[in-house]
Amino acid sequence: MPWMRVSASATAELADDLAVRLTTAGALAVSLAPGRDSADDVLEPAPDATPMWDTVQVEGLFGIEADLSLLAGIDIDVEFLADRNWSETWRDGIEPLRFGRLVVVPRTSPFQPCPDDVAVRLDPGLAFGTGTHATTALCLERLARTPLEGKRVLDVGSGSGILAIAAARLGAAAVAVDHDPQARRATLENSQVNGVEIEIESRLDAVDSSFDVVLANLVAGTIRGLAGAFSDRVAPGGELLLSGILARQVEWVVDAYSKQEFRFEVPTYRDGWAMLRGHRCPNPCR
């Protein structure tokens, strides 16, 4: 079926709220990019500097029958897109993407991994997550450096399943959570192609056990709101990986998690985005 691409410009302070509005209105995928008035090249900041885009272009992909009246009051541009196979579009011209020993390739690629490689073969469908975006790349690089054999990993907002599948390919027992049925379908299909079993849930409250690693590649507002829920699911001494956070939002997010007995390392930055790696204190933090 045809699609609608809805885009709007926002200040850095309002971009996250706008992304949430698009998601709430039914967007199947939401992306953020530098606005037309922002510099194209955003480099990793010095320790005492936090770069940000002055304006942010927020885009959402909607089905043709979506009710855009829910976006009343927002100055939006709507572009109609012809029906196409989005997974095929992703495959066109894409070379294997390397993240340490992890290598992400399209399902049908003839690429042959090296003996020490851990390959993840992927077809995103309509779900977010191919490894090309900085927020996903940061998570994959961290997973590739984390000993996961025999660990339990929870991926919240799994999208295509790329992170849960990568964790499973690295030896973890993975659970994926996503409210979007397209994402759950993509996660199931991709996990089968990669020969791993992943437990897939539609709601976080259906997951009542604790994990060695909990990761989330979402928007900052959602991540901040999940602080209590994540605290209940990260085992004492366990690790928390949070991505999808704009550089300016780091302190705001960390503050919520610090109240839940988490301590964070120095953030990792790329292209204006930040990834947070924290640990839950095994005993009450002092």
Side-chain angles (χ1 to χ4, degrees):
M1 68 177 179
W3 306 89
M4 293 185 291
R5 179 162 57 203
V6 176
S7 59
S9 182
T11 63
E13 290 75 16
L14 298 177
D16 194 55
D17 291 337
L18 179 54
V20 172
R21 285 282 301 274
L22 292 178
T23 301
T24 302
L28 297 171
V30 175
S31 62
L32 285 74
R36 296 183 181 90
D37 298 331
S38 297
D40 290 332
D41 52 337
V42 181
L43 303 178
E44 184 169 339
D48 59 347
T50 302
M52 67 182 72
W53 302 319
D54 296 326
T55 60
V56 180
Q57 190 73 9
V58 185
E59 295 185 352
L61 180 67
F62 290 82
I64 193 64
E65 297 179 354
D67 181 8
L68 298 185
S69 66
L70 297 174
L71 301 175
I74 303 175
D75 185 11
I76 61 174
D77 293 323
V78 179
E79 179 183 0
F80 293 92
L81 306 174
D83 190 15
R84 62 193 303 186
N85 189 329
W86 294 99
S87 60
E88 290 289 349
T89 300
W90 176 69
R91 293 188 191 112
D92 292 344
I94 293 294
E95 297 296 324
L97 303 173
R98 179 171 291 279
F99 308 94
R101 59 182 174 142
L102 282 170
V103 184
V104 178
V105 294
R107 277 189 195 175
T108 57
S109 171
F111 171 78
Q112 293 298 317
C114 297
D116 293 335
D117 288 343
V118 177
V120 176
R121 296 193 176 273
L122 193 70
D123 185 344
L126 289 175
F128 175 79
T130 62
T132 58
H133 196 276
T135 60
T136 310
L138 288 168
C139 291
L140 289 167
E141 290 171 359
R142 183 68 255 173
L143 287 176
R145 297 195 300 270
T146 303
L148 292 178
E149 188 70 39
K151 300 289 184 67
R152 284 176 50 78
V153 174
L154 174 63
D155 177 14
V156 180
S158 60
S160 67
I162 184 172
L163 300 179
I165 292 166
R169 293 281 289 130
L170 291 167
V175 177
V177 178
D178 204 301
H179 68 87
D180 182 359
Q182 293 274 8
R184 295 196 301 275
R185 185 178 304 113
T187 297
L188 175 61
E189 293 176 356
N190 286 322
S191 65
Q192 292 172 341
V193 167
N194 284 276
V196 295
E197 292 188 9
I198 293 177
E199 180 183 337
I200 304 171
E201 299 288 352
S202 61
R203 305 185 331 274
L204 183 56
D205 59 15
V207 180
D208 59 4
S209 53
S210 60
F211 295 81
D212 301 292
V213 180
V214 172
L215 58 91
N217 184 15
L218 301 164
V219 295
T222 301
I223 289 173
R224 192 175 193 273
L226 288 170
F230 284 173
S231 178
D232 292 339
R233 289 166 176 82
V234 179
E239 183 171 332
L240 183 65
L241 295 179
L242 304 174
S243 195
I245 302 165
L246 289 171
R248 65 166 180 89
Q249 299 168 324
V250 166
E251 185 176 348
W252 182 61
V253 172
V254 168
D255 179 65
Y257 282 83
S258 297
K259 298 172 184 176
Q260 299 292 335
E261 304 294 346
F262 285 101
R263 290 294 180 264
F264 289 90
E265 300 176 359
V266 175
T268 304
Y269 294 96
R270 182 170 302 162
D271 298 339
W273 297 94
M275 185 192 73
L276 294 171
R277 182 183 184 226
H279 291 84
R280 184 180 176 193
C281 302
N283 299 304
C285 295
R286 299 181 184 278

Short mmCIF file of all heavy atoms in Angstrom, two decimals, residues 37-70:
data_model
loop_
_atom_site.label_atom_id
_atom_site.label_comp_id
_atom_site.label_asym_id
_atom_site.label_seq_id
_atom_site.Cartn_x
_atom_site.Cartn_y
_atom_site.Cartn_z
N ASP A 37 18.57 24.36 8.98
CA ASP A 37 19.41 25.45 9.44
C ASP A 37 20.58 24.99 10.30
O ASP A 37 21.35 25.81 10.80
CB ASP A 37 18.57 26.45 10.26
CG ASP A 37 17.45 27.06 9.43
OD1 ASP A 37 17.64 27.18 8.20
OD2 ASP A 37 16.40 27.40 10.01
N SER A 38 20.72 23.67 10.49
CA SER A 38 21.78 23.15 11.35
C SER A 38 22.99 22.75 10.53
O SER A 38 22.88 22.43 9.34
CB SER A 38 21.27 21.93 12.13
OG SER A 38 20.21 22.30 12.99
N ALA A 39 24.13 22.73 11.18
CA ALA A 39 25.34 22.27 10.52
C ALA A 39 25.21 20.79 10.21
O ALA A 39 24.65 20.02 10.98
CB ALA A 39 26.55 22.51 11.42
N ASP A 40 25.73 20.36 9.08
CA ASP A 40 25.62 18.96 8.68
C ASP A 40 26.57 18.06 9.46
O ASP A 40 26.29 16.89 9.68
CB ASP A 40 25.94 18.81 7.18
CG ASP A 40 24.86 19.42 6.32
OD1 ASP A 40 23.71 19.46 6.79
OD2 ASP A 40 25.17 19.85 5.19
N ASP A 41 27.72 18.61 9.87
CA ASP A 41 28.70 17.75 10.54
C ASP A 41 28.70 18.02 12.03
O ASP A 41 29.06 19.09 12.48
CB ASP A 41 30.10 18.00 9.96
CG ASP A 41 30.48 19.46 9.96
OD1 ASP A 41 29.57 20.31 9.98
OD2 ASP A 41 31.69 19.75 9.94
N VAL A 42 28.25 17.05 12.81
CA VAL A 42 28.27 17.13 14.26
C VAL A 42 29.29 16.13 14.75
O VAL A 42 29.15 14.93 14.53
CB VAL A 42 26.88 16.81 14.86
CG1 VAL A 42 26.92 16.94 16.37
CG2 VAL A 42 25.82 17.75 14.27
N LEU A 43 30.35 16.61 15.38
CA LEU A 43 31.45 15.73 15.77
C LEU A 43 31.32 15.34 17.23
O LEU A 43 30.59 15.96 18.01
CB LEU A 43 32.78 16.44 15.53
CG LEU A 43 33.01 16.93 14.10
CD1 LEU A 43 34.35 17.65 14.02
CD2 LEU A 43 32.96 15.77 13.10
N GLU A 44 32.05 14.30 17.62
CA GLU A 44 32.07 13.91 19.02
C GLU A 44 32.62 15.06 19.85
O GLU A 44 33.65 15.65 19.52
CB GLU A 44 32.95 12.68 19.20
CG GLU A 44 32.94 12.16 20.62
CD GLU A 44 33.59 10.79 20.72
OE1 GLU A 44 33.69 10.10 19.70
OE2 GLU A 44 34.00 10.43 21.84
N PRO A 45 31.95 15.42 20.94
CA PRO A 45 32.33 16.62 21.67
C PRO A 45 33.53 16.40 22.58
O PRO A 45 33.85 15.28 22.96
CB PRO A 45 31.08 16.91 22.52
CG PRO A 45 30.53 15.55 22.78
CD PRO A 45 30.81 14.76 21.53
N ALA A 46 34.18 17.51 22.90
CA ALA A 46 35.18 17.48 23.96
C ALA A 46 34.45 17.26 25.28
O ALA A 46 33.25 17.46 25.38
CB ALA A 46 35.93 18.82 23.99
N PRO A 47 35.18 16.83 26.34
CA PRO A 47 34.51 16.53 27.61
C PRO A 47 33.70 17.69 28.19
O PRO A 47 32.73 17.47 28.90
CB PRO A 47 35.68 16.17 28.53
CG PRO A 47 36.73 15.66 27.61
CD PRO A 47 36.60 16.50 26.36
N ASP A 48 34.09 18.93 27.87
CA ASP A 48 33.38 20.07 28.45
C ASP A 48 32.45 20.73 27.44
O ASP A 48 32.02 21.87 27.65
CB ASP A 48 34.39 21.08 28.99
CG ASP A 48 35.33 21.58 27.89
OD1 ASP A 48 35.35 20.97 26.80
OD2 ASP A 48 36.03 22.58 28.13
N ALA A 49 32.14 20.05 26.35
CA ALA A 49 31.28 20.65 25.32
C ALA A 49 30.22 19.65 24.89
O ALA A 49 30.48 18.46 24.78
CB ALA A 49 32.11 21.08 24.11
N THR A 50 29.01 20.16 24.67
CA THR A 50 27.91 19.31 24.22
C THR A 50 27.31 19.90 22.95
O THR A 50 26.59 20.90 23.01
CB THR A 50 26.81 19.23 25.30
OG1 THR A 50 27.37 18.72 26.49
CG2 THR A 50 25.67 18.32 24.85
N PRO A 51 27.60 19.33 21.77
CA PRO A 51 27.04 19.87 20.54
C PRO A 51 25.58 19.48 20.41
O PRO A 51 25.14 18.47 20.95
CB PRO A 51 27.87 19.17 19.46
CG PRO A 51 28.20 17.87 20.08
CD PRO A 51 28.40 18.15 21.54
N MET A 52 24.82 20.27 19.69
CA MET A 52 23.44 19.92 19.40
C MET A 52 23.04 20.62 18.11
O MET A 52 23.64 21.60 17.70
CB MET A 52 22.52 20.34 20.55
CG MET A 52 22.38 21.86 20.74
SD MET A 52 21.33 22.29 22.14
CE MET A 52 22.36 21.84 23.51
N TRP A 53 22.01 20.08 17.47
CA TRP A 53 21.47 20.74 16.30
C TRP A 53 20.59 21.89 16.76
O TRP A 53 19.80 21.76 17.70
CB TRP A 53 20.65 19.75 15.48
CG TRP A 53 21.43 18.56 15.05
CD1 TRP A 53 22.71 18.51 14.59
CD2 TRP A 53 20.96 17.19 15.03
NE1 TRP A 53 23.07 17.23 14.28
CE2 TRP A 53 22.03 16.40 14.53
CE3 TRP A 53 19.76 16.56 15.36
CZ2 TRP A 53 21.92 15.03 14.37
CZ3 TRP A 53 19.65 15.20 15.20
CH2 TRP A 53 20.72 14.45 14.71
N ASP A 54 20.69 23.02 16.09
CA ASP A 54 19.82 24.15 16.44
C ASP A 54 18.36 23.81 16.14
O ASP A 54 17.46 24.12 16.91
CB ASP A 54 20.23 25.40 15.65
CG ASP A 54 21.64 25.87 16.02
OD1 ASP A 54 21.99 25.71 17.21
OD2 ASP A 54 22.34 26.37 15.14
N THR A 55 18.15 23.20 14.99
CA THR A 55 16.81 22.72 14.64
C THR A 55 16.90 21.25 14.24
O THR A 55 17.94 20.79 13.76
CB THR A 55 16.19 23.53 13.49
OG1 THR A 55 17.04 23.41 12.33
CG2 THR A 55 16.02 24.99 13.86
N VAL A 56 15.82 20.53 14.47
CA VAL A 56 15.78 19.10 14.19
C VAL A 56 14.63 18.81 13.24
O VAL A 56 13.51 19.32 13.43
CB VAL A 56 15.60 18.30 15.49
CG1 VAL A 56 15.55 16.79 15.21
CG2 VAL A 56 16.72 18.62 16.48
N GLN A 57 14.89 18.03 12.21
CA GLN A 57 13.85 17.57 11.29
C GLN A 57 13.35 16.22 11.80
O GLN A 57 14.10 15.25 11.87
CB GLN A 57 14.40 17.44 9.87
CG GLN A 57 13.35 17.21 8.81
CD GLN A 57 12.54 18.47 8.52
OE1 GLN A 57 12.86 19.56 8.99
NE2 GLN A 57 11.48 18.32 7.74
N VAL A 58 12.09 16.18 12.18
CA VAL A 58 11.48 14.95 12.70
C VAL A 58 10.55 14.39 11.63
O VAL A 58 9.67 15.10 11.13
CB VAL A 58 10.70 15.23 14.00
CG1 VAL A 58 10.17 13.93 14.60
CG2 VAL A 58 11.58 15.95 15.01
N GLU A 59 10.74 13.12 11.27
CA GLU A 59 9.94 12.50 10.23
C GLU A 59 9.30 11.22 10.74
O GLU A 59 9.91 10.47 11.50
CB GLU A 59 10.80 12.15 9.00
CG GLU A 59 11.36 13.38 8.28
CD GLU A 59 12.09 12.99 7.00
OE1 GLU A 59 12.30 11.78 6.77
OE2 GLU A 59 12.46 13.91 6.24
N GLY A 60 8.05 11.00 10.32
CA GLY A 60 7.35 9.78 10.68
C GLY A 60 6.76 9.14 9.44
O GLY A 60 6.30 9.83 8.52
N LEU A 61 6.79 7.80 9.40
CA LEU A 61 6.20 7.05 8.29
C LEU A 61 4.84 6.52 8.72
O LEU A 61 4.74 5.79 9.72
CB LEU A 61 7.12 5.89 7.89
CG LEU A 61 6.63 5.00 6.74
CD1 LEU A 61 6.63 5.79 5.43
CD2 LEU A 61 7.51 3.76 6.61
N PHE A 62 3.80 6.88 7.97
CA PHE A 62 2.43 6.51 8.31
C PHE A 62 1.79 5.71 7.18
O PHE A 62 2.10 5.93 6.00
CB PHE A 62 1.57 7.75 8.54
CG PHE A 62 1.89 8.52 9.79
CD1 PHE A 62 2.94 9.42 9.82
CD2 PHE A 62 1.13 8.35 10.95
CE1 PHE A 62 3.23 10.14 10.97
CE2 PHE A 62 1.41 9.06 12.09
CZ PHE A 62 2.46 9.96 12.11
N GLY A 63 0.88 4.82 7.54
CA GLY A 63 0.04 4.18 6.55
C GLY A 63 -0.88 5.22 5.92
O GLY A 63 -1.20 6.25 6.51
N ILE A 64 -1.33 4.95 4.71
CA ILE A 64 -2.11 5.93 3.95
C ILE A 64 -3.42 6.29 4.63
O ILE A 64 -3.97 7.37 4.43
CB ILE A 64 -2.36 5.42 2.51
CG1 ILE A 64 -2.87 6.54 1.61
CG2 ILE A 64 -3.31 4.23 2.54
CD1 ILE A 64 -1.89 7.65 1.40
N GLU A 65 -3.94 5.39 5.47
CA GLU A 65 -5.22 5.64 6.12
C GLU A 65 -5.08 6.21 7.52
O GLU A 65 -6.06 6.33 8.26
CB GLU A 65 -6.03 4.34 6.17
CG GLU A 65 -6.39 3.79 4.79
CD GLU A 65 -7.18 2.50 4.87
OE1 GLU A 65 -7.35 1.99 6.00
OE2 GLU A 65 -7.63 2.01 3.82
N ALA A 66 -3.89 6.61 7.90
CA ALA A 66 -3.66 7.14 9.24
C ALA A 66 -4.44 8.44 9.45
O ALA A 66 -4.63 9.24 8.51
CB ALA A 66 -2.17 7.39 9.47
N ASP A 67 -4.91 8.67 10.67
CA ASP A 67 -5.66 9.87 11.02
C ASP A 67 -4.68 10.95 11.50
O ASP A 67 -4.24 10.93 12.65
CB ASP A 67 -6.67 9.53 12.11
CG ASP A 67 -7.52 10.75 12.52
OD1 ASP A 67 -7.41 11.79 11.84
OD2 ASP A 67 -8.26 10.63 13.51
N LEU A 68 -4.36 11.88 10.62
CA LEU A 68 -3.39 12.91 10.97
C LEU A 68 -4.01 14.05 11.76
O LEU A 68 -3.31 14.99 12.15
CB LEU A 68 -2.73 13.46 9.69
CG LEU A 68 -1.93 12.45 8.86
CD1 LEU A 68 -1.23 13.15 7.71
CD2 LEU A 68 -0.92 11.71 9.72
N SER A 69 -5.32 13.97 12.02
CA SER A 69 -5.95 15.00 12.84
C SER A 69 -5.37 15.02 14.25
O SER A 69 -5.46 16.01 14.97
CB SER A 69 -7.47 14.80 12.90
OG SER A 69 -7.79 13.60 13.59
N LEU A 70 -4.76 13.90 14.65
CA LEU A 70 -4.13 13.83 15.96
C LEU A 70 -2.90 14.74 16.05
O LEU A 70 -2.38 14.98 17.13
CB LEU A 70 -3.73 12.39 16.27
CG LEU A 70 -4.88 11.38 16.38
CD1 LEU A 70 -4.33 9.96 16.53
CD2 LEU A 70 -5.78 11.72 17.55
#
